Amino acid sequence: MKRIAIISIVLMFITLVGCNDNSLLPLPTNKSSSSFSGKVILQNQTEHSNALVYVDSLNRGVSSDSSGNYTFQFTKQDPAYSGEFKVRYFLNDYDMDSAKIMLVKGKVKLDTLDVDSEGKIKTKEMKQIVLIEGWTDKKEYKIGEKITFTARFTNVTNRMVRIFIQAQSQLGFVGLYNDKYPSFILSPCDPYPAGGDIILQPNSFYEGSVVYTIPDRYKCINYGPLPIDEYIVSASFFIEGRTINHLESKFYKYIVEEWYKIHRGDSPKLDWFPNKYNFPHIKIIE
């Protein structure tokens, strides 16, 4: 009887020790990676390229591809960076999103914050703010012909959206854009235009239309004749919350000065901001 009592006490002791032994608990990971990856899904799109994925403080970004996939690679210059960092997801016509990563000497710590054990961030589903589209009266033009351009801005959210359009026309500065050349402005070259706000209630839209003659030379700068090529016809506007007065200055400067350098397909591209605008492509022909 005494022997049974002793065995019971020993077993109870072993059980208590085992329950409080931290060595039996899963250990936090110490693994890191020189890159992280993820995916962006854009509302109302079948093709998901052009989303900017930007890491604060490093002041670098990458673009999503047509499937929405992206990979951010750290470099030999990054070991100075350690701590928690924000990853921003940005398109001018979409709500912004973010994630958090932990860096240790320039490498991302796995299974920490928003990065899983494989170095991936959960898919971001970005919500569209404004559907921006346009069309022209035809697809090919010769110098001296008139072009009719119409653009529509549709609020696809359940909240009010404010857009600012400069007052050269119903659509602000209107021009032909190809990233291989300077912008070819069709509207008057007023350097200090007035403008006005357009208030878009939920599910409402604003539509404007202009007619211009395609000139043989650039109006606003001293540049040679308009090259025979393909162009995007675009309006100019600002969406509230997307200007230098709203975005962090370093982030805004990166968008303005560095974004267009990221290769994202063939010309022509409209590279002012990351966007999913559906503006028309035309050809200038002989």
Side-chain angles (χ1 to χ4, degrees), residues 176-178 181 226-233 268 280-282 284:
L176 308 182
Y177 298 92
N178 184 316
Y181 317 115
L226 176 65
I228 303 301
D229 209 333
E230 182 179 347
Y231 294 86
I232 298 172
V233 186
H281 288 228
I282 66 164
I284 301 299

Side-chain angles (χ1 to χ4, degrees), residues 16 19 27 44 94 96 102 112 120 125 141-142 152-153 158 181 184 186 191 197 236 243 275 280:
L16 290 171
C19 290
L27 294 174
N44 299 327
Y94 278 72
M96 290 179 277
M102 179 66 70
T112 304
K120 295 182 178 180
E125 297 184 5
Y141 297 88
K142 295 179 179 180
R152 178 183 293 170
F153 306 82
N158 58 4
Y181 317 115
F184 191 91
L186 298 174
D197 287 340
S236 63
T243 70
N275 69 78

Side-chain angles (χ1 to χ4, degrees), residues 114-132:
D114 292 322
V115 179
D116 67 15
S117 59
E118 297 180 346
K120 295 182 178 180
I121 293 178
K122 186 178 178 180
T123 297
K124 295 291 183 180
E125 297 184 5
M126 299 181 70
K127 301 297 184 182
Q128 193 171 28
I129 303 171
V130 184
L131 172 62
I132 299 169

